[in-house]
Amino acid sequence: MYTQALNSSDGEDRHVEDAARAAQFQARIDAEERIEPNDWMPPAYRKTLTRQISQHAHSEIVGMLPEGNWITRAPSLRRKAALLAKVQDECGHGLYLYAAAETLGSSREELVDAMLAGKAKYSSIFNYPTLTWADIGTIGWLVDGAAIMNQIPLCRCSYGPYARAMIRVCKEESFHQRQGFEIMLTLCRGTDEQKAMAQDALNRWWWPVLMMFGPPDQASQHSDTSTKWKIKRFSNDELRQKFVDATVPQAQFLGLTIPDPAMKQNEAGNWEYSAIDWEEFKQVLAGNGPCNRDRMAARRKAHEDGAWVREAAMAYAAKRRQRAALQAAE
Ligand code: BYC
């Protein structure tokens, strides 16, 4: 009886303490202070950040596949060098992001395993195929363009390691966007066949790119808490609209037509677009996009093929630890 009473009062004390810490944490967020790895944070903040950062990391890594598909077929040495550098940059982004997620207490191994087991998501956009060289231009122009729109506000995210990683990622994404736009410009100023190829790529990528920003605001599960904690600075729909408004003049400059005949500019200057097919998005997230199975198979194979590298690195690290311990004992 006495023990029970003690436990219940212990529980209440802990509850009061947690509420006070949560209030203090929110006050720091409201004051635009950065949260760092060793600071106290609500378990749900840690969980949602780990979810978002790891999904972001997986997207960078899976994102290497559709473009990597064209490295051997780039039309010139210059194009090949730029594409190689871009794909390597995406790999680097994945590594910074896994490192940022690790500061929250989940190992890279756990995060990668969750992705390979199909438990963690990666961006829907990378489940579409790259059929022609114009797809490489379109990915740089639109996919990296959308990524920049989404990631610039993440440079002001409340969690320090994520915000700092985003600064470098955004600089590199800007270069990617420019190289993609330049490919499109070259195709659009080329032969009729090249321009048709560019238009075809835009037709296929436009709607999937709009889906990259996530479900509409009323269906977004995480937006409210992520906004309260200043992980998100803009809603999914706000960023989607900013992207459309920035992209329409670029398409006009290229002489390309956005595949949305009902699209119109309103009095405020915003481009109103037609309804997005959210059923297609759901299907892609459920694993039924055109390339989901290929992407997962390629990642699993790469992981298996890389086992010897991980083993060698572990053996080397163990040897170094052993040598350091021996030296310390001398
Ligand atoms: N694809 O409540 P919501 C790049 C999921 S760019 C797949 O609104 P949140 C790159 C969402 O995760 C691409 N899943 O979520 C560019 C959630 O599911 P869970 C990566 C999506 O987090 C060029 C559920 O739907 N960028 O890497 O508030 C070359 C409900 O959504 C998608 C980032 O990851 C999607 N498109 O907002 C190479 C940026 N959209 O977790 C690489 C960081 C939503 O409950 N992430 N879902 O199972 C974010 O900014 C936010 O996580 C999102 C979603 C805006 C994407």
PDB file of all heavy atoms in Angstrom, residues 102-121:
ATOM      1  N   GLU A 102      22.061  10.408 -36.784  1.00  0.00           N
ATOM      2  CA  GLU A 102      22.762   9.654 -35.727  1.00  0.00           C
ATOM      3  C   GLU A 102      22.893  10.471 -34.444  1.00  0.00           C
ATOM      4  O   GLU A 102      22.913   9.908 -33.349  1.00  0.00           O
ATOM      5  CB  GLU A 102      24.145   9.200 -36.210  1.00  0.00           C
ATOM      6  CG  GLU A 102      24.041   7.952 -37.062  1.00  0.00           C
ATOM      7  CD  GLU A 102      25.396   7.353 -37.410  1.00  0.00           C
ATOM      8  OE1 GLU A 102      26.288   8.109 -37.847  1.00  0.00           O
ATOM      9  OE2 GLU A 102      25.566   6.133 -37.252  1.00  0.00           O
ATOM     10  N   THR A 103      22.942  11.809 -34.591  1.00  0.00           N
ATOM     11  CA  THR A 103      23.069  12.640 -33.374  1.00  0.00           C
ATOM     12  C   THR A 103      21.805  12.545 -32.517  1.00  0.00           C
ATOM     13  O   THR A 103      21.790  12.991 -31.383  1.00  0.00           O
ATOM     14  CB  THR A 103      23.324  14.131 -33.710  1.00  0.00           C
ATOM     15  OG1 THR A 103      22.166  14.653 -34.367  1.00  0.00           O
ATOM     16  CG2 THR A 103      24.546  14.324 -34.585  1.00  0.00           C
ATOM     17  N   LEU A 104      20.743  11.966 -33.075  1.00  0.00           N
ATOM     18  CA  LEU A 104      19.492  11.808 -32.310  1.00  0.00           C
ATOM     19  C   LEU A 104      19.415  10.427 -31.656  1.00  0.00           C
ATOM     20  O   LEU A 104      18.409  10.083 -31.036  1.00  0.00           O
ATOM     21  CB  LEU A 104      18.284  12.014 -33.237  1.00  0.00           C
ATOM     22  CG  LEU A 104      18.096  13.464 -33.710  1.00  0.00           C
ATOM     23  CD1 LEU A 104      17.258  13.514 -34.978  1.00  0.00           C
ATOM     24  CD2 LEU A 104      17.473  14.319 -32.620  1.00  0.00           C
ATOM     25  N   GLY A 105      20.450   9.617 -31.889  1.00  0.00           N
ATOM     26  CA  GLY A 105      20.523   8.354 -31.157  1.00  0.00           C
ATOM     27  C   GLY A 105      20.177   7.106 -31.949  1.00  0.00           C
ATOM     28  O   GLY A 105      20.113   6.032 -31.370  1.00  0.00           O
ATOM     29  N   SER A 106      19.951   7.215 -33.268  1.00  0.00           N
ATOM     30  CA  SER A 106      19.725   5.995 -34.060  1.00  0.00           C
ATOM     31  C   SER A 106      20.940   5.778 -34.947  1.00  0.00           C
ATOM     32  O   SER A 106      21.389   6.725 -35.599  1.00  0.00           O
ATOM     33  CB  SER A 106      18.501   6.131 -34.964  1.00  0.00           C
ATOM     34  OG  SER A 106      17.374   6.431 -34.196  1.00  0.00           O
ATOM     35  N   SER A 107      21.431   4.551 -34.987  1.00  0.00           N
ATOM     36  CA  SER A 107      22.626   4.314 -35.798  1.00  0.00           C
ATOM     37  C   SER A 107      22.255   4.268 -37.279  1.00  0.00           C
ATOM     38  O   SER A 107      21.115   3.971 -37.644  1.00  0.00           O
ATOM     39  CB  SER A 107      23.283   2.995 -35.400  1.00  0.00           C
ATOM     40  OG  SER A 107      22.477   1.922 -35.852  1.00  0.00           O
ATOM     41  N   ARG A 108      23.255   4.544 -38.102  1.00  0.00           N
ATOM     42  CA  ARG A 108      23.043   4.510 -39.555  1.00  0.00           C
ATOM     43  C   ARG A 108      22.576   3.118 -39.982  1.00  0.00           C
ATOM     44  O   ARG A 108      21.712   2.974 -40.844  1.00  0.00           O
ATOM     45  CB  ARG A 108      24.344   4.886 -40.251  1.00  0.00           C
ATOM     46  CG  ARG A 108      24.223   4.971 -41.732  1.00  0.00           C
ATOM     47  CD  ARG A 108      25.360   5.801 -42.253  1.00  0.00           C
ATOM     48  NE  ARG A 108      25.999   5.155 -43.376  1.00  0.00           N
ATOM     49  CZ  ARG A 108      27.207   5.482 -43.821  1.00  0.00           C
ATOM     50  NH1 ARG A 108      27.908   6.414 -43.237  1.00  0.00           N
ATOM     51  NH2 ARG A 108      27.705   4.860 -44.860  1.00  0.00           N
ATOM     52  N   GLU A 109      23.160   2.111 -39.335  1.00  0.00           N
ATOM     53  CA  GLU A 109      22.804   0.735 -39.668  1.00  0.00           C
ATOM     54  C   GLU A 109      21.294   0.488 -39.453  1.00  0.00           C
ATOM     55  O   GLU A 109      20.616  -0.048 -40.316  1.00  0.00           O
ATOM     56  CB  GLU A 109      23.618  -0.183 -38.764  1.00  0.00           C
ATOM     57  CG  GLU A 109      23.743  -1.581 -39.276  1.00  0.00           C
ATOM     58  CD  GLU A 109      24.714  -2.372 -38.407  1.00  0.00           C
ATOM     59  OE1 GLU A 109      25.064  -1.910 -37.302  1.00  0.00           O
ATOM     60  OE2 GLU A 109      25.102  -3.456 -38.844  1.00  0.00           O
ATOM     61  N   GLU A 110      20.809   0.941 -38.297  1.00  0.00           N
ATOM     62  CA  GLU A 110      19.369   0.767 -37.997  1.00  0.00           C
ATOM     63  C   GLU A 110      18.520   1.488 -39.047  1.00  0.00           C
ATOM     64  O   GLU A 110      17.505   0.968 -39.506  1.00  0.00           O
ATOM     65  CB  GLU A 110      19.015   1.447 -36.665  1.00  0.00           C
ATOM     66  CG  GLU A 110      19.276   0.701 -35.405  1.00  0.00           C
ATOM     67  CD  GLU A 110      19.025   1.648 -34.213  1.00  0.00           C
ATOM     68  OE1 GLU A 110      17.861   1.938 -33.918  1.00  0.00           O
ATOM     69  OE2 GLU A 110      20.018   2.098 -33.609  1.00  0.00           O
ATOM     70  N   LEU A 111      18.940   2.702 -39.389  1.00  0.00           N
ATOM     71  CA  LEU A 111      18.140   3.513 -40.319  1.00  0.00           C
ATOM     72  C   LEU A 111      18.121   2.866 -41.707  1.00  0.00           C
ATOM     73  O   LEU A 111      17.076   2.774 -42.350  1.00  0.00           O
ATOM     74  CB  LEU A 111      18.695   4.938 -40.397  1.00  0.00           C
ATOM     75  CG  LEU A 111      18.732   5.705 -39.068  1.00  0.00           C
ATOM     76  CD1 LEU A 111      19.467   7.021 -39.209  1.00  0.00           C
ATOM     77  CD2 LEU A 111      17.314   5.939 -38.540  1.00  0.00           C
ATOM     78  N   VAL A 112      19.286   2.408 -42.143  1.00  0.00           N
ATOM     79  CA  VAL A 112      19.365   1.782 -43.467  1.00  0.00           C
ATOM     80  C   VAL A 112      18.570   0.476 -43.470  1.00  0.00           C
ATOM     81  O   VAL A 112      17.828   0.186 -44.422  1.00  0.00           O
ATOM     82  CB  VAL A 112      20.843   1.552 -43.879  1.00  0.00           C
ATOM     83  CG1 VAL A 112      20.943   0.696 -45.129  1.00  0.00           C
ATOM     84  CG2 VAL A 112      21.543   2.885 -44.108  1.00  0.00           C
ATOM     85  N   ASP A 113      18.675  -0.282 -42.390  1.00  0.00           N
ATOM     86  CA  ASP A 113      17.924  -1.541 -42.316  1.00  0.00           C
ATOM     87  C   ASP A 113      16.423  -1.283 -42.433  1.00  0.00           C
ATOM     88  O   ASP A 113      15.701  -2.033 -43.096  1.00  0.00           O
ATOM     89  CB  ASP A 113      18.218  -2.282 -41.005  1.00  0.00           C
ATOM     90  CG  ASP A 113      19.583  -2.966 -41.039  1.00  0.00           C
ATOM     91  OD1 ASP A 113      20.186  -3.004 -42.129  1.00  0.00           O
ATOM     92  OD2 ASP A 113      20.052  -3.431 -39.977  1.00  0.00           O
ATOM     93  N   ALA A 114      15.949  -0.209 -41.790  1.00  0.00           N
ATOM     94  CA  ALA A 114      14.511   0.108 -41.840  1.00  0.00           C
ATOM     95  C   ALA A 114      14.093   0.408 -43.285  1.00  0.00           C
ATOM     96  O   ALA A 114      13.019   0.001 -43.736  1.00  0.00           O
ATOM     97  CB  ALA A 114      14.189   1.288 -40.933  1.00  0.00           C
ATOM     98  N   MET A 115      14.970   1.096 -44.016  1.00  0.00           N
ATOM     99  CA  MET A 115      14.638   1.405 -45.416  1.00  0.00           C
ATOM    100  C   MET A 115      14.633   0.132 -46.261  1.00  0.00           C
ATOM    101  O   MET A 115      13.699  -0.122 -47.022  1.00  0.00           O
ATOM    102  CB  MET A 115      15.661   2.404 -45.970  1.00  0.00           C
ATOM    103  CG  MET A 115      15.217   3.095 -47.224  1.00  0.00           C
ATOM    104  SD  MET A 115      15.926   2.365 -48.677  1.00  0.00           S
ATOM    105  CE  MET A 115      17.609   2.905 -48.554  1.00  0.00           C
ATOM    106  N   LEU A 116      15.659  -0.705 -46.055  1.00  0.00           N
ATOM    107  CA  LEU A 116      15.752  -1.924 -46.868  1.00  0.00           C
ATOM    108  C   LEU A 116      14.615  -2.902 -46.543  1.00  0.00           C
ATOM    109  O   LEU A 116      14.204  -3.688 -47.401  1.00  0.00           O
ATOM    110  CB  LEU A 116      17.112  -2.604 -46.668  1.00  0.00           C
ATOM    111  CG  LEU A 116      18.323  -1.782 -47.130  1.00  0.00           C
ATOM    112  CD1 LEU A 116      19.617  -2.517 -46.837  1.00  0.00           C
ATOM    113  CD2 LEU A 116      18.235  -1.447 -48.618  1.00  0.00           C
ATOM    114  N   ALA A 117      14.096  -2.818 -45.324  1.00  0.00           N
ATOM    115  CA  ALA A 117      12.976  -3.694 -44.945  1.00  0.00           C
ATOM    116  C   ALA A 117      11.639  -3.099 -45.403  1.00  0.00           C
ATOM    117  O   ALA A 117      10.581  -3.690 -45.150  1.00  0.00           O
ATOM    118  CB  ALA A 117      12.968  -3.883 -43.435  1.00  0.00           C
ATOM    119  N   GLY A 118      11.685  -1.935 -46.038  1.00  0.00           N
ATOM    120  CA  GLY A 118      10.451  -1.303 -46.526  1.00  0.00           C
ATOM    121  C   GLY A 118       9.662  -0.610 -45.419  1.00  0.00           C
ATOM    122  O   GLY A 118       8.521  -0.228 -45.612  1.00  0.00           O
ATOM    123  N   LYS A 119      10.310  -0.410 -44.237  1.00  0.00           N
ATOM    124  CA  LYS A 119       9.583   0.228 -43.121  1.00  0.00           C
ATOM    125  C   LYS A 119       9.730   1.745 -43.143  1.00  0.00           C
ATOM    126  O   LYS A 119       8.921   2.440 -42.561  1.00  0.00           O
ATOM    127  CB  LYS A 119      10.123  -0.292 -41.777  1.00  0.00           C
ATOM    128  CG  LYS A 119       9.758  -1.737 -41.501  1.00  0.00           C
ATOM    129  CD  LYS A 119      10.233  -2.125 -40.103  1.00  0.00           C
ATOM    130  CE  LYS A 119      10.325  -3.633 -39.975  1.00  0.00           C
ATOM    131  NZ  LYS A 119      11.415  -4.045 -39.091  1.00  0.00           N
ATOM    132  N   ALA A 120      10.796   2.242 -43.761  1.00  0.00           N
ATOM    133  CA  ALA A 120      10.990   3.700 -43.814  1.00  0.00           C
ATOM    134  C   ALA A 120      10.787   4.159 -45.253  1.00  0.00           C
ATOM    135  O   ALA A 120      11.170   3.461 -46.192  1.00  0.00           O
ATOM    136  CB  ALA A 120      12.386   4.050 -43.340  1.00  0.00           C
ATOM    137  N   LYS A 121      10.222   5.331 -45.396  1.00  0.00           N
ATOM    138  CA  LYS A 121       9.927   5.824 -46.748  1.00  0.00           C
ATOM    139  C   LYS A 121      11.130   6.543 -47.362  1.00  0.00           C
ATOM    140  O   LYS A 121      12.066   6.915 -46.658  1.00  0.00           O
ATOM    141  CB  LYS A 121       8.769   6.810 -46.666  1.00  0.00           C
ATOM    142  CG  LYS A 121       7.443   6.202 -46.230  1.00  0.00           C
ATOM    143  CD  LYS A 121       6.318   7.214 -46.431  1.00  0.00           C
ATOM    144  CE  LYS A 121       4.961   6.594 -46.239  1.00  0.00           C
ATOM    145  NZ  LYS A 121       4.577   6.509 -44.820  1.00  0.00           N
TER     146      LYS A 121
END
